[in-house]
Amino acid sequence: MNPWLHGAVYGAGLLGFMMTVGALASWYERKFTAVVQNRLGPNVVGPFGVYQPIADAIKMLRKEEIIPRDADRPLYLLAPWIPTFLVLISAAAVPFGGYYAADGHWQSTWLVADLDLGVLWLLAVSGLMVFPIWMAGWSGNNKYALLAGMRMVAQGISYEIPMVLTALVPVIAVGSMSISDIVAYQAEHGWLIWKLPGIGLVAFVFFYLASLAESNRIPFDIPEAESELVGGVLVEYTGMRFGIVLLSEYLHTLVASIVASALFLGGGHMPFLSAMLPWWTAPIFMLLKVGALFFSIYWVRWSWVRYRADQLMELCWYWMVPISLAMVMATALMVTGGWL
Amino acid sequence: MKYFSGSIDSLIATIKNSFRPVVTESVRPEASRAERYRASFALTHDANGEQNCIGCKLCENICPSTVITVVAGPKRVSEFTGKKRGYADDFTVDLQACIYCELCVSVCPTDSIVMVRVQEQPSFDREDLVLTQDKLYANETSKPLSWANGTKLRAMLDPNASPEEDAS
């Protein structure tokens, strides 16, 4: 297929999928919260209240847009859109489908762009996420938002290091930065979470925790910290801009789930079943994995408490960074020693 | 290790809790409101169809958020009773700052201002939330009035009253 046409078709598909899930995530979070807290949750609009995001969007679109008088106007208006854009493009290199070709090799399909440096693309784009949040924190001219922005920058930069290091573990083990190669390797040799003894599981957990920290979810949500900082960088935002920032946070959790399931859980591959079942089951397996990880984010949200700022830094710099470094070196030794 | 086991325990507790039965009730828009629900205001007329308000400005003075404005007119002889009494030329309640404390109702000596049991509709204009005299008199007929008026409320506050009377 023509690469432009391919990019347009699959890009539109990915965009539609992510916006749908991102909108439904707000309903899902409220419903799951209600189940955990023995409440009913949204149940008025549509079956089980599933149209609630539409009602919320209409409400937010009709709200008054208040721009603070002393705000840095261009930055203030631009800040909500950039994280959404970044998070939407970051999943472009992840394959959602795949099948065993005639020669027994796993062929990854259903991805927007088969980048040779897919992992680098992901990390680079998620590294940029710090800037729009800081823009939002700075431009509103609000003390709470500024504090939240500073916390976010500190947390984002710190947790990027274990995230990059743990993402290097599959890269080194496979010997390729292309995510479709990583998925294909896992389909042929077993998932990396089990394939690397011990290291795989720890690397997966660390990568996932670092992704949680990057997307400001509990237990790493000190940038939001509604009990101390009112609403974090969202303080000055109203109407649809507020909604867009929320949407980008939900999308960030979705992308974290997608990437973690592709790097460590074998993407669309399922042991024993993939060899027997036709090609269209691979996206279903992928979505099952993404759904399980997505569920665990909300599970964790109502189970754990928020870290204090210094505990957060301690966890990152005393534990996750050294252990990740050791895991990267151990993986490199295993590869050079020929044990993989 | 203590933190690790604690984290796992809390995850298990979350799952266990999510299987418990729901303890809250569904929202029922059709359900009747509580007896003492009160939302907006109305001004009343007496049996002769004359306004109850005598323009004494007690409600304006007692209002904690000063949202009531009364313009008292000159005293004149009532054509129905033949007695000289006051009238209010204008009466506005600004609902934007009203805290619904009902002090104006309880202080009113003539049971003129009462509360109604239906809210004002949301609107796009702030001025729609200011109840003018016309709107207040229209509320008397268009909306169900609250059970309370100044006389009843003051009787409830009387320490010598018997407890049975307050059961209304």
Side-chain angles (χ1 to χ4, degrees):
Chain A
M1 198 193 273
N2 180 347
W4 289 96
L5 186 65
H6 178 275
V9 170
Y10 281 87
L14 182 69
L15 191 71
F17 166 71
M18 288 186 56
M19 291 306 257
T20 313
V21 175
L24 279 177
S26 70
W27 167 80
Y28 175 73
E29 176 167 32
R30 289 174 65 180
K31 202 72 183 173
F32 182 76
T33 308
V35 168
V36 169
Q37 298 175 349
N38 305 333
R39 294 184 288 113
L40 282 168
N43 63 345
V44 176
V45 197
F48 302 105
V50 75
Y51 299 149
Q52 192 66 42
I54 302 173
D56 287 347
I58 292 172
K59 183 199 80 171
M60 281 179 171
L61 280 171
R62 280 174 48 168
K63 278 200 162 183
E64 184 181 3
E65 293 266 3
I66 300 168
I67 300 174
R69 188 190 58 204
D70 295 330
D72 193 335
R73 258 185 97 92
L75 290 185
Y76 180 84
L77 297 180
L78 194 60
W81 302 100
I82 301 179
T84 319
F85 170 71
L86 289 177
V87 86
L88 281 175
I89 62 174
S90 61
V94 180
F96 280 78
Y99 57 91
Y100 280 111
D103 57 354
H105 288 293
W106 180 263
Q107 181 66 42
S108 290
T109 51
W110 284 35
L111 74 172
V112 179
D114 194 0
L115 299 178
D116 291 338
L117 296 173
V119 176
L120 188 66
W121 163 261
L122 277 171
L123 297 174
V125 170
S126 70
L128 283 176
M129 288 291 290
V130 173
F131 292 96
I133 303 289
W134 173 242
M135 276 165 67
W138 170 260
S139 63
N141 205 359
N142 180 307
K143 296 183 188 73
Y144 294 117
L146 185 66
L147 265 177
M150 289 198 278
R151 283 181 173 189
M152 170 66 212
V153 170
Q155 174 182 327
I157 291 177
S158 303
Y159 274 88
E160 220 165 271
I161 296 168
M163 191 171 155
V164 170
L165 289 174
T166 47
L168 273 182
V169 169
V171 168
I172 293 175
V174 175
S176 167
M177 272 208 161
S178 160
I179 298 180
S180 36
D181 282 357
I182 293 175
V183 172
Y185 177 90
Q186 297 180 74
E188 289 154 27
H189 298 87
W191 297 0
L192 281 169
I193 188 172
W194 315 120
K195 173 79 176 162
L196 305 167
I199 297 175
L201 187 60
V202 178
F204 168 71
V205 171
F206 276 19
F207 182 82
Y208 203 56
L209 286 179
S211 307
L212 276 186
E214 290 275 303
S215 52
N216 302 330
R217 299 296 304 189
I218 282 178
F220 307 107
D221 72 334
I222 56 159
E224 193 179 330
E226 62 269 27
S227 51
E228 315 153 25
L229 290 180
V230 193
V233 297
L234 295 172
V235 175
E236 293 292 351
Y237 281 99
T238 53
M240 203 57 207
R241 277 176 226 289
F242 176 80
I244 287 291
V245 179
L246 278 187
L247 176 72
S248 78
E249 283 189 3
Y250 286 124
L251 286 179
H252 207 141
T253 61
L254 175 67
V255 168
S257 311
I258 291 174
V259 171
S261 52
L263 286 186
F264 292 96
L265 299 181
H269 171 260
M270 187 67 82
F272 313 117
L273 294 177
S274 275
M276 298 185 287
L277 294 172
W279 63 272
W280 50 264
T281 52
I284 297 175
F285 291 141
M286 178 74 177
L287 287 185
L288 282 178
K289 291 169 191 174
V290 172
L293 291 181
F294 199 64
F295 165 78
S296 73
I297 290 178
Y298 298 92
W299 184 16
V300 162
R301 188 194 192 302
W302 292 108
S303 305
W304 295 354
V305 290
R306 180 182 301 137
Y307 274 110
R308 217 167 52 210
D310 61 321
Q311 293 168 333
L312 192 80
M313 291 298 157
E314 191 181 303
L315 177 71
C316 178
W317 290 101
Y318 285 2
W319 298 100
M320 287 173 75
V321 170
I323 295 175
S324 310
L325 263 177
M327 285 192 302
V328 169
M329 286 190 267
T331 317
L333 281 176
M334 285 164 77
V335 171
T336 42
W339 296 328
L340 270 180
Chain B
M1 195 41 79
K2 185 177 69 183
Y3 297 110
F4 185 73
S5 62
S7 305
I8 301 296
D9 284 351
S10 58
L11 285 175
I12 294 169
T14 307
I15 287 298
K16 273 187 187 165
N17 214 36
S18 62
F19 285 107
R20 289 203 186 135
V22 169
V23 294
T24 54
E25 277 187 37
S26 180
V27 178
R28 290 169 299 146
E30 72 280 5
S32 61
R33 290 217 171 88
E35 188 62 31
R36 296 191 173 190
Y37 185 86
R38 53 197 205 275
S40 182
F41 293 92
L43 286 175
T44 56
H45 293 90
D46 61 12
N48 298 323
E50 199 175 30
Q51 69 177 32
N52 268 330
C53 183
I54 55 173
C56 66
K57 295 204 178 192
L58 276 176
C59 47
E60 183 178 326
N61 289 330
I62 204 169
C63 182
S65 41
T66 62
V67 297
I68 300 179
T69 314
V70 183
V71 178
K75 291 191 176 182
R76 59 177 190 270
V77 175
S78 165
E79 51 186 287
F80 297 104
T81 57
K83 289 179 185 169
K84 199 174 182 184
R85 55 161 286 188
Y87 292 89
D89 282 356
D90 195 18
F91 196 111
T92 52
V93 181
D94 187 353
L95 285 183
Q96 291 176 78
C98 180
I99 60 172
Y100 304 95
C101 62
E102 217 172 15
L103 279 175
C104 50
V105 175
S106 67
V107 83
C108 184
T110 59
D111 297 345
S112 173
I113 185 165
V114 293
M115 298 194 80
V116 298
R117 301 186 56 199
V118 183
Q119 307 103 315
E120 296 297 319
Q121 289 298 312
S123 71
F124 287 99
D125 205 338
R126 286 167 196 242
E127 287 180 8
D128 294 346
L129 289 172
V130 180
L131 293 179
T132 60
Q133 199 176 17
D134 297 338
K135 286 191 204 165
L136 285 165
Y137 279 118
N139 276 355
E140 184 194 3
T141 48
S142 65
K143 289 177 182 166
L145 302 184
S146 159
W147 62 276
N149 57 32
T151 312
K152 280 185 191 166
L153 288 172
R154 264 177 281 121
M156 283 169 68
L157 290 172
D158 184 3
N160 298 321
S162 58
E164 289 85 48
E165 282 180 32
D166 139 277
S168 64

